[in-house]
Amino acid sequence: MRRKLSFDDEKDLVLLGKALSSEIRIKILKLLDTKPYCVNEIAELLKIPASSAALNVKVLEEAQLIRTELKPGVRGSMKLCLRQNDELLLLLRKGEKKKKEEVISMPVGNYVDYKVAPTCGIVNTEDYIDGEDEPRCFYNPLRTTAKLVWFAKGYLEYRFPNAGIQNGRVRRLELSAELCSEAPDYNMEWPSDITLWINQREAGTWTCPSDFGGRRGKLNPDWWEDKNTQYGKLKVWTLEENGTYLDGKKVNDVSVTDYRLADGPFISVRIGVKEDAKHQGGVNLFGNSFGDYPQDIVMRILYE
């Protein structure tokens, strides 16, 4: 087995240096290269006291160069010594910090707050959830099954867990969703300024040109009528250390640190249209069974 150490492993390096600083301990490692031995056998083969053999074995064990197992013997148990590593790789530089990625998929119906105005509605794969154009219906418990949500004005707010990043440094956050404008039925000439907020900070606005229709969305169920909105565009907001990006284009200098992702009990994500937006054309938000893309709202967090 190979073991890799770098300058980041200070404690292990000190123990390793101590273990390899003795000729006796080097000889013990050579012995164990052929087969395991118990402490008394090591003492006999190297012609040293058993107490000295036991002390040196303990130093090698602390350095993780060998491991020991208790085996039954003639007079009680005996400690069997086995070599732990075949190779040691020492990097004379700092090791790279391990990066982790967390992916969270949020169903479009799992919003925790909203402010919407008609035209508005919610559907799942089977039917409409409650009535159309009635904001009160957005509190229906069946909303968690929603696969398409739409509204002419306002916003939806979601809360993503941030437990995984409490003890790490976030390097990048990416949020993607399939979106388009909202008009009665559909309208290919219906722009809307759709904005994303993360922890109450604006993360960029996309001006969608249309409430897309005219062809069926690739995932739409058969009962969904052709006259309705059919599909959206997959948009990707990315928070980097040097700013915020929308589809790879920098939109502001707000860094991922500025969003304070680990400070609160959750990460707030709000999608909607500002009250003073130039194009107040509403929002269609697609889940994994409507539109063209088989996904819900997806958050990817890269952290150390």
Side-chain angles (χ1 to χ4, degrees), residues 12 22 34 55 73 83 120 128 145-146 164 178 201 238 253 289 291:
D12 289 340
S22 161
T34 54
L55 181 62
R83 198 179 62 185
C120 60
Y128 287 81
T145 68
E178 184 177 355
R201 295 201 70 153
T238 307
D253 292 324
S289 301

Side-chain angles (χ1 to χ4, degrees), residues 96-163:
E96 295 183 0
K97 293 182 179 179
K98 294 181 179 179
K99 296 179 181 179
K100 301 177 183 178
E101 183 180 56
E102 184 174 2
V103 180
I104 306 167
S105 181
M106 181 68 68
V108 297
N110 273 22
Y111 49 84
V112 297
D113 189 22
Y114 73 89
K115 181 181 179 181
V116 302
T119 52
C120 60
I122 318 171
V123 295
N124 55 29
T125 55
E126 298 177 357
D127 205 348
Y128 287 81
I129 298 174
D130 227 324
E132 279 192 90
D133 296 338
E134 177 48 74
R136 289 183 179 87
C137 296
F138 275 58
Y139 278 122
N140 191 311
L142 289 176
R143 72 180 187 275
T144 58
T145 68
K147 299 301 180 181
L148 175 61
V149 184
W150 66 94
F151 51 95
K153 293 182 180 180
Y155 64 84
L156 297 176
E157 183 177 349
Y158 301 84
R159 292 177 180 176
F160 285 76
N162 62 359

Side-chain angles (χ1 to χ4, degrees), residues 168-184:
R169 178 188 175 194
V170 178
R171 301 296 301 272
R172 178 165 56 88
L173 181 145
E174 176 186 291
L175 188 130
S176 62
E178 184 177 355
L179 302 155
C180 76
S181 309
E182 164 52 26

Side-chain angles (χ1 to χ4, degrees), residues 256-274:
V256 65
T257 305
D258 295 330
Y259 290 93
R260 306 180 73 86
L261 300 173
D263 286 6
F266 51 81
I267 300 170
S268 168
V269 171
R270 182 176 288 190
I271 298 171
V273 178
K274 293 188 287 187

Side-chain angles (χ1 to χ4, degrees), residues 19-268:
L20 296 178
S21 64
S22 161
E23 289 185 14
I24 291 293
R25 291 192 282 273
I26 296 294
K27 289 179 180 179
I28 292 174
L29 289 174
K30 287 181 178 179
L31 277 179
L32 298 179
D33 184 45
T34 54
K35 68 172 188 176
Y37 286 100
C38 67
V39 173
N40 287 337
E41 289 174 326
I42 291 173
E44 187 175 329
L45 289 168
L46 295 181
K47 296 180 171 49
I48 58 174
S51 58
S52 178
L55 181 62
N56 283 284
V57 162
K58 182 180 179 183
V59 174
L60 291 171
E61 192 174 11
E62 289 175 346
Q64 299 179 49
L65 291 172
I66 68 171
R67 60 186 174 88
T68 60
E69 297 178 358
L70 289 177
K71 298 290 184 180
V74 177
R75 297 179 181 177
S77 60
M78 61 180 184
K79 186 177 283 188
L80 188 67
C81 305
L82 305 94
R83 198 179 62 185
Q84 183 84 334
N85 306 112
D86 294 319
E87 294 181 53
L88 283 174
L89 177 61
L90 179 60
L91 303 176
L92 299 178
R93 53 182 167 79
K94 288 186 177 181
E96 295 183 0
K97 293 182 179 179
K98 294 181 179 179
K99 296 179 181 179
K100 301 177 183 178
E101 183 180 56
E102 184 174 2
V103 180
I104 306 167
S105 181
M106 181 68 68
V108 297
N110 273 22
Y111 49 84
V112 297
D113 189 22
Y114 73 89
K115 181 181 179 181
V116 302
T119 52
C120 60
I122 318 171
V123 295
N124 55 29
T125 55
E126 298 177 357
D127 205 348
Y128 287 81
I129 298 174
D130 227 324
E132 279 192 90
D133 296 338
E134 177 48 74
R136 289 183 179 87
C137 296
F138 275 58
Y139 278 122
N140 191 311
L142 289 176
R143 72 180 187 275
T144 58
T145 68
K147 299 301 180 181
L148 175 61
V149 184
W150 66 94
F151 51 95
K153 293 182 180 180
Y155 64 84
L156 297 176
E157 183 177 349
Y158 301 84
R159 292 177 180 176
F160 285 76
N162 62 359
I165 62 174
Q166 290 303 305
N167 297 315
R169 178 188 175 194
V170 178
R171 301 296 301 272
R172 178 165 56 88
L173 181 145
E174 176 186 291
L175 188 130
S176 62
E178 184 177 355
L179 302 155
C180 76
S181 309
E182 164 52 26
D185 298 331
Y186 74 87
N187 190 329
M188 298 299 286
E189 302 295 331
W190 193 268
S192 185
D193 296 330
I194 301 173
T195 299
L196 175 75
W197 293 266
I198 295 180
N199 282 351
Q200 290 75 53
R201 295 201 70 153
E202 189 173 326
T205 298
W206 170 54
T207 301
C208 176
S210 308
D211 180 358
F212 296 108
R215 68 154 173 90
R216 291 194 63 79
K218 297 175 182 178
L219 303 171
N220 295 349
D222 292 339
W223 63 266
W224 186 245
E225 295 180 275
D226 291 348
K227 70 180 183 65
N228 296 331
T229 302
Q230 294 296 319
Y231 60 93
K233 298 293 184 182
L234 188 67
K235 309 307 293 182
V236 182
W237 282 265
T238 307
L239 318 182
E240 299 274 7
E241 292 184 317
N242 66 341
T244 303
Y245 295 77
L246 174 55
D247 292 338
K249 183 178 180 180
K250 193 172 185 178
V251 294
N252 61 50
D253 292 324
V254 181
S255 74
V256 65
T257 305
D258 295 330
Y259 290 93
R260 306 180 73 86
L261 300 173
D263 286 6
F266 51 81
I267 300 170
S268 168

